[in-house]
Amino acid sequence: MGRGDARSSLLVLLLALLCRGRAHGYALMAGLRHRAGPALDYPEGSVYPVLQQMERDGLVRSNREIVDGRSRRVYEVTERGRAYYAEQREAWLEYLKAMSTILEG
């Protein structure tokens, strides 16, 4: 997946949020909306498949927990996920800098 790919950008954004603390899927979506507004309002149908793939890849792990009286799957980043995020964060920052340079002329 390339840096401009929506799925790869969502993966890095979810890892960024999870590096700040454990969360369930809806809280992650709300966190994206809160921090970035409508520009990063991913539909629920795109967030959960990425979380599931991240878990299969060993980047996150999850447990069922009761949150606000409801059973939810709560995700947390693994050490492998933290290392992957650190690597990808640097690559994304370089990519964004290059894009900005070109777009701003």
Side-chain angles (χ1 to χ4, degrees):
M1 288 184 225
R3 298 242 184 280
D5 181 274
R7 190 173 177 103
S8 64
S9 62
L10 178 56
L11 185 150
V12 172
L13 293 170
L14 291 171
L15 281 174
L17 294 176
L18 287 168
C19 281
R20 295 181 180 115
R22 304 166 63 241
H24 54 83
Y26 182 79
L28 291 167
M29 288 183 287
L32 289 174
R33 280 192 299 273
H34 173 74
R35 287 174 177 78
L40 295 179
D41 191 10
Y42 290 93
E44 186 176 316
S46 64
V47 172
Y48 287 104
V50 172
L51 286 168
Q52 292 164 357
Q53 185 61 53
M54 290 166 65
E55 191 164 19
R56 283 191 297 272
D57 293 343
L59 302 176
V60 299
R61 64 179 153 258
S62 70
N63 293 306
R64 281 258 173 223
E65 296 182 12
I66 303 299
V67 179
D68 297 326
R70 300 175 75 175
S71 176
R72 297 187 187 259
R73 186 162 295 282
V74 176
Y75 297 88
E76 65 181 311
V77 70
T78 62
E79 286 306 312
R80 181 178 181 175
R82 286 185 191 284
Y84 181 79
Y85 170 68
E87 173 188 300
Q88 290 300 305
R89 181 181 183 276
E90 290 306 313
W92 271 95
L93 289 173
E94 284 182 32
Y95 175 79
L96 293 172
K97 184 179 176 182
M99 290 290 292
S100 229
T101 299
I102 292 168
L103 294 174
E104 291 175 3

